[in-house]
Amino acid sequence: MYYIGVDIGGTFTDCVMVDDSGRHYSSKALSTKHDPVEGVLAGLELLAEDVNLNVTELLTQTARFSHGTTIGTNAVLERLGARVGLVTTAGHGDALAIMRGSGRVAGLSIEQVYSVHGSRLPEPITVRNAVIEIDERIDSNGEIVVALDIDAALDKILRAIDEFKLDSIAIAFLWSFVNPAHEQALADAVRAAAPNVFLSISSAVSPRLGEYERMVATVMNGYVGPACSRYLGRLETRLRELGLSESLLVMQSNGGVLPAPAAAATSLGTIDSGPAGGLTGVATLARRHGHDRVVATDMGGTSFDIGLVIDGKPTMSDENVIDQYTYRLPHLAVRTIACGGGTLARFDEATAALRVGPQSAGSEPGPACYGRGATEPTVTDADVVLGFLRPEAFLDGRMPLDRDASVSVMSDLAHKLGMSVEDTAAGILEINNVRAATVIRQQTLERGHDPRDFVMYAYGGAGPVHAFGFAAESGVKEVVIPLGNGASTLSAFGIASGDVVHYQEVEKALAAPFDAGPTADRLASLISDIDAQARKAIAEVGVSGDTVVEIDALMRFHEQLMHSLEIPISLPSGPDTGTRLLDAFNAEYAHRYGSGGTALFQDVEIFAFRARASIPAGITVADPPANDTPAVTTTSVYWPGTGWTDTTVHTGIPSSTISGPALVELAHTTIAVPGGATLSYGPDRELRLHLSSSQELA
């Protein structure tokens, strides 16, 4: 039987297949923006060829099919979402428009923040004037203050649906996360009266304190929900027609998968599912390779994603921003910047300097070397000009590159800069490396970690090519290229190997001390109830298997709203649970902010609990074997800081340690080994790039 994972990126659609023995196969097909299903099927055809099957035979033998989609992200960024109306408590209809004070700059780069005249409020995500205020009120204790008149409310909503031609309704009442009765009752009435309208309610999407963030999550879910539902339904229908008998599983930004119907109901969770898949795959492999501190770096055609794995687990976050809208939803803490192979380089007229990004060539037309008429150079074109990518070897020779086109567009840029073609291309790589290293330092240092204590995992199509540069720039000592050729499609591997996961958050306030009296009893009761609720919720998903429940206490100093920490609760809980929680909080706070950062005279509180219920995927993976007799030749590469240098080229995974300068050409990526560095095997035959001391401090 086979386990398949598919990740649609901005340039390529990556597919990974793992068989019963743990052997993995991978394929890449160009993403088809007009109909993503076509790109998925093209990738599946390549996978089927690897095992001498057709697509129908492959899907008939597939036990698990998981998918990561960018439909939701694209719907928001391209403003192609649903016509959504907002239903909220009377007097609060302007909360979404008022935003927070940071709404004008939320999620923007530092350059954009300081461009005061260039900043703007985001475009509305609801239909103009389609805000329906309902007379109802529940207080902060969950008590009903103003009863809901369902008939009157339903009449308002139906009239708005007809007047504004709405195909989605988002319901976000005050304090619904404490008592969801009004939301649920009204939702049932709307479903019965308007079954074709997509419905999103805040108590299901984001049951957390914070009116604005909860409202954003609910409306955004309603905005992307119809498009995601249609796409997932169309994909699942097509796969079933071709022989898939199992349910389509969909990757979530929290690192787990859910069956397509459940994923469609909370479509907001599919945003950033691809990067989450990569971090999930890294965590799986890092535990096997014995690495407890990992910087995961994914450089693809469009973006550069970074996440951390600490003590075997990916770091989590509960706040996210998309198109300047901030919302709260548990997700893997992945930072994304425009720093991929397709990132465009240009001459900045204002400063007469070289600029790289954030614009990208995408897959259409793609870099100039793709031969599709592009007129601006990209990072990939720089790789071709400098010799890091040999045109005849790209994608195992299935997609030859046009070096002359890369040289032509690079020459135009070089002329404007007054530099040589090679120095211009090298400058593009160095700027790209600095940008990647900067975000690596931010993600580690801001959490109280030294990047030099981490191992870097480099994956994505462009990651292994450039890892030597941004690893040296950030001070990382060792780079792992996981799964060999499979490094290019690691996000798809993570999607294939992701557990079925359901997150549940409960807002409950408890003040220290937690280890005595009524508070201790309340803590024990809450942990028991949350554990039971989490097990019930994942059972309703409809996937069989052994359930694992993990519960975190979200803790902070009283009223210190900006600096909360997630502290794991050891299960089953016992009399010392409260003491251990307080000790763990103080230790983590001191580690992150310094030993003088703790407040001696400020109480500690638990303000919420987060439960993660999961059903393990149970997929094993075998590391790639070395080539028996890899082909070896020589080429000339322009190494930044060194110039043109004779460089050994290994076609396939080498059977022994190699020294740089060298290139290792695999079917879907190339590993660049600079002079003074070595590429060798780890204990599980994973590829490890060791930089020299001078390179580490570069």
PDB file of all heavy atoms in Angstrom, residues 343-349 352-359 376-378 413 416-417 428 431:
ATOM      1  N   THR A 343      12.436  34.670  -6.958  1.00  0.00           N
ATOM      2  CA  THR A 343      12.422  36.066  -6.510  1.00  0.00           C
ATOM      3  C   THR A 343      13.134  36.958  -7.529  1.00  0.00           C
ATOM      4  O   THR A 343      14.237  36.649  -7.977  1.00  0.00           O
ATOM      5  CB  THR A 343      13.095  36.187  -5.135  1.00  0.00           C
ATOM      6  OG1 THR A 343      12.387  35.380  -4.198  1.00  0.00           O
ATOM      7  CG2 THR A 343      13.081  37.621  -4.656  1.00  0.00           C
ATOM      8  N   LEU A 344      12.508  38.065  -7.875  1.00  0.00           N
ATOM      9  CA  LEU A 344      13.020  38.954  -8.917  1.00  0.00           C
ATOM     10  C   LEU A 344      14.075  39.917  -8.374  1.00  0.00           C
ATOM     11  O   LEU A 344      13.961  40.421  -7.261  1.00  0.00           O
ATOM     12  CB  LEU A 344      11.877  39.758  -9.528  1.00  0.00           C
ATOM     13  CG  LEU A 344      10.839  38.957 -10.330  1.00  0.00           C
ATOM     14  CD1 LEU A 344       9.627  39.828 -10.641  1.00  0.00           C
ATOM     15  CD2 LEU A 344      11.450  38.427 -11.618  1.00  0.00           C
ATOM     16  N   ALA A 345      15.088  40.182  -9.181  1.00  0.00           N
ATOM     17  CA  ALA A 345      16.106  41.187  -8.880  1.00  0.00           C
ATOM     18  C   ALA A 345      15.898  42.376  -9.814  1.00  0.00           C
ATOM     19  O   ALA A 345      15.496  42.211 -10.969  1.00  0.00           O
ATOM     20  CB  ALA A 345      17.501  40.610  -9.056  1.00  0.00           C
ATOM     21  N   ARG A 346      16.188  43.578  -9.308  1.00  0.00           N
ATOM     22  CA  ARG A 346      15.938  44.768 -10.125  1.00  0.00           C
ATOM     23  C   ARG A 346      16.891  45.893  -9.727  1.00  0.00           C
ATOM     24  O   ARG A 346      17.519  45.852  -8.660  1.00  0.00           O
ATOM     25  CB  ARG A 346      14.493  45.226  -9.966  1.00  0.00           C
ATOM     26  CG  ARG A 346      14.175  45.806  -8.599  1.00  0.00           C
ATOM     27  CD  ARG A 346      12.710  46.109  -8.412  1.00  0.00           C
ATOM     28  NE  ARG A 346      12.427  46.855  -7.206  1.00  0.00           N
ATOM     29  CZ  ARG A 346      12.363  46.337  -5.994  1.00  0.00           C
ATOM     30  NH1 ARG A 346      12.568  45.041  -5.829  1.00  0.00           N
ATOM     31  NH2 ARG A 346      12.103  47.089  -4.944  1.00  0.00           N
ATOM     32  N   PHE A 347      16.941  46.891 -10.587  1.00  0.00           N
ATOM     33  CA  PHE A 347      17.706  48.104 -10.312  1.00  0.00           C
ATOM     34  C   PHE A 347      16.776  49.112  -9.657  1.00  0.00           C
ATOM     35  O   PHE A 347      15.730  49.457 -10.209  1.00  0.00           O
ATOM     36  CB  PHE A 347      18.273  48.673 -11.619  1.00  0.00           C
ATOM     37  CG  PHE A 347      19.010  49.970 -11.460  1.00  0.00           C
ATOM     38  CD1 PHE A 347      20.274  49.991 -10.906  1.00  0.00           C
ATOM     39  CD2 PHE A 347      18.441  51.165 -11.875  1.00  0.00           C
ATOM     40  CE1 PHE A 347      20.969  51.189 -10.762  1.00  0.00           C
ATOM     41  CE2 PHE A 347      19.116  52.368 -11.737  1.00  0.00           C
ATOM     42  CZ  PHE A 347      20.391  52.378 -11.174  1.00  0.00           C
ATOM     43  N   ASP A 348      17.145  49.567  -8.464  1.00  0.00           N
ATOM     44  CA  ASP A 348      16.331  50.532  -7.733  1.00  0.00           C
ATOM     45  C   ASP A 348      16.707  51.939  -8.186  1.00  0.00           C
ATOM     46  O   ASP A 348      17.812  52.429  -7.913  1.00  0.00           O
ATOM     47  CB  ASP A 348      16.568  50.371  -6.226  1.00  0.00           C
ATOM     48  CG  ASP A 348      15.595  51.194  -5.388  1.00  0.00           C
ATOM     49  OD1 ASP A 348      15.112  52.224  -5.888  1.00  0.00           O
ATOM     50  OD2 ASP A 348      15.315  50.806  -4.243  1.00  0.00           O
ATOM     51  N   GLU A 349      15.793  52.587  -8.903  1.00  0.00           N
ATOM     52  CA  GLU A 349      16.070  53.915  -9.447  1.00  0.00           C
ATOM     53  C   GLU A 349      16.345  54.939  -8.350  1.00  0.00           C
ATOM     54  O   GLU A 349      17.155  55.858  -8.524  1.00  0.00           O
ATOM     55  CB  GLU A 349      14.869  54.378 -10.289  1.00  0.00           C
ATOM     56  CG  GLU A 349      14.554  53.501 -11.489  1.00  0.00           C
ATOM     57  CD  GLU A 349      15.535  53.693 -12.626  1.00  0.00           C
ATOM     58  OE1 GLU A 349      16.369  54.623 -12.527  1.00  0.00           O
ATOM     59  OE2 GLU A 349      15.487  52.921 -13.595  1.00  0.00           O
ATOM     60  N   ALA A 352      19.858  53.699  -6.844  1.00  0.00           N
ATOM     61  CA  ALA A 352      20.856  53.213  -7.808  1.00  0.00           C
ATOM     62  C   ALA A 352      21.549  51.954  -7.299  1.00  0.00           C
ATOM     63  O   ALA A 352      22.745  51.744  -7.531  1.00  0.00           O
ATOM     64  CB  ALA A 352      21.875  54.299  -8.125  1.00  0.00           C
ATOM     65  N   ALA A 353      20.795  51.124  -6.605  1.00  0.00           N
ATOM     66  CA  ALA A 353      21.351  49.912  -6.003  1.00  0.00           C
ATOM     67  C   ALA A 353      20.593  48.679  -6.480  1.00  0.00           C
ATOM     68  O   ALA A 353      19.515  48.770  -7.077  1.00  0.00           O
ATOM     69  CB  ALA A 353      21.292  50.008  -4.481  1.00  0.00           C
ATOM     70  N   LEU A 354      21.181  47.532  -6.205  1.00  0.00           N
ATOM     71  CA  LEU A 354      20.561  46.253  -6.530  1.00  0.00           C
ATOM     72  C   LEU A 354      19.553  45.888  -5.458  1.00  0.00           C
ATOM     73  O   LEU A 354      19.864  45.925  -4.269  1.00  0.00           O
ATOM     74  CB  LEU A 354      21.645  45.168  -6.630  1.00  0.00           C
ATOM     75  CG  LEU A 354      21.185  43.724  -6.824  1.00  0.00           C
ATOM     76  CD1 LEU A 354      20.441  43.562  -8.139  1.00  0.00           C
ATOM     77  CD2 LEU A 354      22.389  42.776  -6.764  1.00  0.00           C
ATOM     78  N   ARG A 355      18.338  45.545  -5.855  1.00  0.00           N
ATOM     79  CA  ARG A 355      17.301  45.097  -4.931  1.00  0.00           C
ATOM     80  C   ARG A 355      16.849  43.701  -5.342  1.00  0.00           C
ATOM     81  O   ARG A 355      16.720  43.401  -6.532  1.00  0.00           O
ATOM     82  CB  ARG A 355      16.101  46.050  -4.938  1.00  0.00           C
ATOM     83  CG  ARG A 355      16.409  47.451  -4.446  1.00  0.00           C
ATOM     84  CD  ARG A 355      16.788  47.478  -2.980  1.00  0.00           C
ATOM     85  NE  ARG A 355      15.694  47.032  -2.134  1.00  0.00           N
ATOM     86  CZ  ARG A 355      14.788  47.851  -1.619  1.00  0.00           C
ATOM     87  NH1 ARG A 355      14.824  49.144  -1.882  1.00  0.00           N
ATOM     88  NH2 ARG A 355      13.832  47.381  -0.839  1.00  0.00           N
ATOM     89  N   VAL A 356      16.567  42.867  -4.338  1.00  0.00           N
ATOM     90  CA  VAL A 356      16.106  41.500  -4.590  1.00  0.00           C
ATOM     91  C   VAL A 356      14.803  41.291  -3.840  1.00  0.00           C
ATOM     92  O   VAL A 356      14.768  41.367  -2.609  1.00  0.00           O
ATOM     93  CB  VAL A 356      17.156  40.455  -4.144  1.00  0.00           C
ATOM     94  CG1 VAL A 356      16.657  39.051  -4.451  1.00  0.00           C
ATOM     95  CG2 VAL A 356      18.483  40.704  -4.843  1.00  0.00           C
ATOM     96  N   GLY A 357      13.706  41.041  -4.569  1.00  0.00           N
ATOM     97  CA  GLY A 357      12.408  40.799  -3.974  1.00  0.00           C
ATOM     98  C   GLY A 357      11.694  42.090  -3.618  1.00  0.00           C
ATOM     99  O   GLY A 357      12.209  43.195  -3.826  1.00  0.00           O
ATOM    100  N   PRO A 358      10.466  41.971  -3.077  1.00  0.00           N
ATOM    101  CA  PRO A 358       9.775  40.730  -2.736  1.00  0.00           C
ATOM    102  C   PRO A 358       8.993  40.105  -3.891  1.00  0.00           C
ATOM    103  O   PRO A 358       8.426  39.037  -3.740  1.00  0.00           O
ATOM    104  CB  PRO A 358       8.807  41.186  -1.628  1.00  0.00           C
ATOM    105  CG  PRO A 358       8.476  42.600  -2.012  1.00  0.00           C
ATOM    106  CD  PRO A 358       9.729  43.170  -2.612  1.00  0.00           C
ATOM    107  N   GLN A 359       8.941  40.772  -5.052  1.00  0.00           N
ATOM    108  CA  GLN A 359       8.164  40.236  -6.158  1.00  0.00           C
ATOM    109  C   GLN A 359       8.767  38.925  -6.659  1.00  0.00           C
ATOM    110  O   GLN A 359       9.976  38.702  -6.582  1.00  0.00           O
ATOM    111  CB  GLN A 359       8.092  41.244  -7.309  1.00  0.00           C
ATOM    112  CG  GLN A 359       7.352  42.535  -6.986  1.00  0.00           C
ATOM    113  CD  GLN A 359       8.196  43.527  -6.215  1.00  0.00           C
ATOM    114  OE1 GLN A 359       9.406  43.336  -6.069  1.00  0.00           O
ATOM    115  NE2 GLN A 359       7.570  44.576  -5.713  1.00  0.00           N
ATOM    116  N   GLU A 376      12.926  39.749 -16.616  1.00  0.00           N
ATOM    117  CA  GLU A 376      13.650  40.197 -15.432  1.00  0.00           C
ATOM    118  C   GLU A 376      14.396  39.014 -14.813  1.00  0.00           C
ATOM    119  O   GLU A 376      13.882  37.885 -14.788  1.00  0.00           O
ATOM    120  CB  GLU A 376      12.688  40.788 -14.405  1.00  0.00           C
ATOM    121  CG  GLU A 376      11.968  42.036 -14.870  1.00  0.00           C
ATOM    122  CD  GLU A 376      11.012  42.550 -13.811  1.00  0.00           C
ATOM    123  OE1 GLU A 376       9.850  42.106 -13.794  1.00  0.00           O
ATOM    124  OE2 GLU A 376      11.433  43.384 -12.994  1.00  0.00           O
ATOM    125  N   PRO A 377      15.594  39.242 -14.287  1.00  0.00           N
ATOM    126  CA  PRO A 377      16.371  38.143 -13.705  1.00  0.00           C
ATOM    127  C   PRO A 377      15.847  37.736 -12.330  1.00  0.00           C
ATOM    128  O   PRO A 377      15.301  38.556 -11.590  1.00  0.00           O
ATOM    129  CB  PRO A 377      17.781  38.723 -13.593  1.00  0.00           C
ATOM    130  CG  PRO A 377      17.565  40.198 -13.456  1.00  0.00           C
ATOM    131  CD  PRO A 377      16.348  40.509 -14.280  1.00  0.00           C
ATOM    132  N   THR A 378      16.025  36.477 -12.003  1.00  0.00           N
ATOM    133  CA  THR A 378      15.632  35.939 -10.707  1.00  0.00           C
ATOM    134  C   THR A 378      16.840  35.293 -10.032  1.00  0.00           C
ATOM    135  O   THR A 378      17.926  35.200 -10.615  1.00  0.00           O
ATOM    136  CB  THR A 378      14.538  34.873 -10.869  1.00  0.00           C
ATOM    137  OG1 THR A 378      15.099  33.752 -11.574  1.00  0.00           O
ATOM    138  CG2 THR A 378      13.335  35.402 -11.637  1.00  0.00           C
ATOM    139  N   LEU A 413      20.576  43.998 -16.361  1.00  0.00           N
ATOM    140  CA  LEU A 413      20.672  44.507 -14.996  1.00  0.00           C
ATOM    141  C   LEU A 413      22.099  44.931 -14.678  1.00  0.00           C
ATOM    142  O   LEU A 413      22.331  45.974 -14.046  1.00  0.00           O
ATOM    143  CB  LEU A 413      20.200  43.433 -14.009  1.00  0.00           C
ATOM    144  CG  LEU A 413      20.272  43.786 -12.517  1.00  0.00           C
ATOM    145  CD1 LEU A 413      19.422  45.015 -12.211  1.00  0.00           C
ATOM    146  CD2 LEU A 413      19.796  42.593 -11.669  1.00  0.00           C
ATOM    147  N   LYS A 416      22.954  48.393 -15.984  1.00  0.00           N
ATOM    148  CA  LYS A 416      22.403  49.482 -15.176  1.00  0.00           C
ATOM    149  C   LYS A 416      23.227  49.700 -13.910  1.00  0.00           C
ATOM    150  O   LYS A 416      23.376  50.828 -13.433  1.00  0.00           O
ATOM    151  CB  LYS A 416      20.960  49.171 -14.806  1.00  0.00           C
ATOM    152  CG  LYS A 416      20.004  49.135 -15.990  1.00  0.00           C
ATOM    153  CD  LYS A 416      18.595  48.752 -15.542  1.00  0.00           C
ATOM    154  CE  LYS A 416      17.643  48.679 -16.724  1.00  0.00           C
ATOM    155  NZ  LYS A 416      16.282  48.252 -16.305  1.00  0.00           N
ATOM    156  N   LEU A 417      23.765  48.620 -13.358  1.00  0.00           N
ATOM    157  CA  LEU A 417      24.532  48.711 -12.113  1.00  0.00           C
ATOM    158  C   LEU A 417      25.994  49.071 -12.354  1.00  0.00           C
ATOM    159  O   LEU A 417      26.717  49.417 -11.403  1.00  0.00           O
ATOM    160  CB  LEU A 417      24.462  47.370 -11.359  1.00  0.00           C
ATOM    161  CG  LEU A 417      23.104  46.982 -10.783  1.00  0.00           C
ATOM    162  CD1 LEU A 417      23.109  45.512 -10.358  1.00  0.00           C
ATOM    163  CD2 LEU A 417      22.746  47.866  -9.596  1.00  0.00           C
ATOM    164  N   ILE A 428      23.233  39.090  -6.231  1.00  0.00           N
ATOM    165  CA  ILE A 428      21.855  38.637  -5.998  1.00  0.00           C
ATOM    166  C   ILE A 428      21.843  37.522  -4.960  1.00  0.00           C
ATOM    167  O   ILE A 428      21.024  37.521  -4.024  1.00  0.00           O
ATOM    168  CB  ILE A 428      21.224  38.169  -7.325  1.00  0.00           C
ATOM    169  CG1 ILE A 428      20.992  39.367  -8.249  1.00  0.00           C
ATOM    170  CG2 ILE A 428      19.911  37.429  -7.072  1.00  0.00           C
ATOM    171  CD1 ILE A 428      20.545  38.986  -9.644  1.00  0.00           C
ATOM    172  N   ILE A 431      22.704  38.930  -1.400  1.00  0.00           N
ATOM    173  CA  ILE A 431      21.577  39.645  -0.796  1.00  0.00           C
ATOM    174  C   ILE A 431      20.518  38.654  -0.338  1.00  0.00           C
ATOM    175  O   ILE A 431      19.958  38.778   0.760  1.00  0.00           O
ATOM    176  CB  ILE A 431      20.984  40.649  -1.807  1.00  0.00           C
ATOM    177  CG1 ILE A 431      21.975  41.791  -2.055  1.00  0.00           C
ATOM    178  CG2 ILE A 431      19.650  41.204  -1.309  1.00  0.00           C
ATOM    179  CD1 ILE A 431      21.560  42.729  -3.157  1.00  0.00           C
TER     180      ILE A 431
END
